[in-house]
Each structure stands twice: as C-alpha cells, then as structure tokens.
Amino acid sequence: MTMLTARRVPIYISLCLIICMIGMALCIILIQSSQKSSTLWAERAADLYARSLDMQQEQESRTLLLAQSRLAMLNALEYTPYNTAHWIRLSVIDGQTKVAGETQATSMHDSSIHIIKRLNSDFKIGSGEYILPSVPPRSTEGPD
C-alpha cells in the first residue's frame, strides 16, 4: 500500500505545479488584456479629441467628437481607474466640453480635478494644456 502512495505523490505534485502554472498564465493574460484595453481606449479618446480641435468642422461635429472622446476616456477608466494620466485627459476633455458650451461638464471637471489631486498630490494642470495623440489620427475619408 505504501508503495502505491509513494508512486502517486510525484504525480500529485506534478499536477499541482501544472495547475499553478496554468492559473498564473491565465492571471497574467487577464491583467495584460485589461491594461491593453485601457491603452486602446485612451488612444481612441486622444485621436477623437485631436480631431475635435479642428476648427474647420462645424460646432455640432466638434461637440459630437468631444462627447465620443469623453465616452472613450470613461471606458479607459473602467479598466484602470487609478491611472492618473487618464483622469488628467478626462479633465481636459471635460474642460474643452465646458468651453464648447455644455454646462453639465462643469461638475465632472471639478470632481475629476479632486480625484487627480488625490491620486497625485503634487499635480498641477494648466488651463491651456491639450491632449494630443502620440501618432497622427488615421484618415477617415471614404473611397472616391
């Protein structure tokens, strides 16, 4: 009887190690995918924000782009809510929305500044700071 259990112990240890390795791999995949998703949403928000600054567009079109940019930034914050840079971008987008004439962004802008200061106490934001994408926005023109 002891010989059978002696043979089973290495198998059980091997199975436990394999299960632990699979669990760690799944955990890493899930963590990286949320960070990647957050980065993609933030890039989309930056692209939309940059397009909203184009003064050749009509006011309604720029306001719509700002709203889409804000929504994309909120989606990025769902994945990484403690990312100070995302909160900074959201506050700049809200500030621009306030300038564009929407009044409901005022309270969100003020609350996001308080959140940013809690996350990063030595942070200072200038009113003229803009968020620009790291790469130029993709062309959205349709076929000729």
Side-chain angles (χ1 to χ4, degrees), residues 36-108:
K36 181 70 173 172
S37 296
S38 175
T39 303
L40 290 173
W41 278 113
E43 287 175 3
R44 176 163 170 73
D47 287 343
L48 290 169
Y49 179 77
R51 289 194 310 181
S52 75
L53 296 176
D54 183 12
M55 293 305 217
Q56 294 176 352
Q57 298 180 16
E58 295 179 10
Q59 180 65 28
E60 292 176 8
S61 169
R62 289 187 307 197
T63 304
L64 179 64
L65 286 171
L66 274 174
Q68 291 173 346
S69 175
R70 184 176 189 281
L71 183 62
M73 205 64 241
L74 288 173
N75 285 333
L77 282 167
E78 282 184 27
Y79 290 103
T80 54
Y82 298 106
N83 189 330
T84 307
H86 290 351
W87 284 103
I88 293 168
R89 289 183 180 120
L90 181 64
S91 69
V92 171
I93 291 168
D94 283 342
Q96 188 68 25
T97 305
K98 179 182 170 185
V99 169
E102 287 191 19
T103 57
Q104 93 185 171
T106 307
S107 62
M108 182 58 191

Side-chain angles (χ1 to χ4, degrees), residues 2-15:
T2 59
M3 188 173 232
L4 287 176
T5 56
R7 288 184 183 174
R8 291 181 186 169
V9 169
I11 292 173
Y12 291 138
I13 291 173
S14 298
L15 286 175

